[in-house]
Amino acid sequence: MIEDISKLTRLVYESQHELYAKDDDSFSRLYNMYDNSSLQIPKDWFKGKIALDTGCGNAGTFILWLFHQGVENVYGIDLGDAWIEKLYNSLGRKGITRSQLQLKPGNVLDIPYQSNFFDFVTINGVLIHLNSVDEIKQAFSEGARVLKPGGYYYTVYGVAGGMLIDAVFPALR
């Protein structure tokens, strides 16, 4: 049952991402949520770095933002593989080439990269979809494992309260 919920959740978000990837106003609104003052990282720090976006989805707003900060290579993982071509296309419309990205299927519970590989790791909006506090701890530990010492780690847990958290997710679980 949990696997079915995960697949359904992935389909819902994939559809949502497709819509705002194609709409410049929606894409810009999401892109503009990120800035150096909210991350507390100097803009110049990103130049030449390697970043991982876990649960990157198929629109690429955060990945594009990372490239605009000067990140040299961005890696992205998400569940399944149907999102990969869609993300290449979305970012291609924004001027990012396939050679700049390393995209592959992956899960935050077992990030498919070696330890201490990335300068910057984000787990953005994924942890809220996990099934237990133990899974959240595991995912958080996995992000820390692949981060180089002295790197930056950015997590967004998701919204707090409201209909989604108080009614929809408990009903699905």
Side-chain angles (χ1 to χ4, degrees):
M1 177 155 150
I2 289 175
E3 186 175 316
D4 292 338
I5 292 170
S6 295
K7 287 179 182 178
L8 179 59
T9 300
R10 179 71 202 125
L11 289 173
V12 168
Y13 276 91
E14 192 171 305
S15 297
Q16 179 189 34
H17 293 175
E18 282 183 45
L19 292 173
Y20 68 72
K22 294 176 183 174
D23 180 75
D24 288 338
D25 290 336
S26 296
F27 191 95
S28 292
R29 183 179 54 81
L30 293 167
Y31 174 92
N32 289 323
M33 289 180 0
Y34 310 110
D35 64 34
N36 294 93
S37 64
S38 64
L39 271 69
Q40 299 293 306
I41 302 172
K43 182 175 181 171
D44 289 343
W45 180 87
F46 285 99
K47 290 189 181 358
K49 300 292 196 260
I50 300 171
L52 172 65
D53 186 353
T54 62
C56 58
N58 50 292
T61 52
F62 195 72
I63 288 175
L64 183 64
W65 185 86
L66 288 169
F67 277 119
H68 288 164
Q69 304 316 298
V71 169
E72 185 173 324
N73 292 303
V74 177
Y75 292 67
I77 64 169
D78 210 323
L79 298 174
D81 61 6
W83 59 273
I84 294 174
E85 190 64 28
K86 294 171 185 178
L87 181 53
Y88 279 130
N89 291 336
S90 175
L91 290 171
R93 288 189 295 273
K94 307 293 184 191
I96 304 300
T97 65
R98 289 175 183 257
S99 63
Q100 295 173 283
L101 293 167
Q102 301 284 331
L103 305 176
K104 69 179 180 180
N107 188 317
V108 296
L109 299 175
D110 186 19
I111 296 174
Y113 293 102
Q114 67 189 30
S115 298
N116 305 315
F117 186 75
F118 296 100
D119 300 295
F120 180 86
V121 172
T122 181
I123 299 179
N124 188 355
V126 174
L127 300 175
I128 193 170
H129 299 292
L130 299 177
N131 296 303
S132 67
V133 172
D134 287 339
E135 282 191 357
I136 292 170
K137 288 177 183 178
Q138 181 180 346
F140 195 87
S141 293
E142 274 293 286
R145 179 186 64 78
V146 298
L147 183 66
K148 290 178 183 176
Y152 283 94
Y153 191 178
Y154 176 68
T155 61
V156 175
Y157 291 86
V159 297
M163 178 69 106
L164 187 64
I165 301 303
D166 296 339
V168 175
F169 282 149
L172 288 174
R173 290 191 178 116

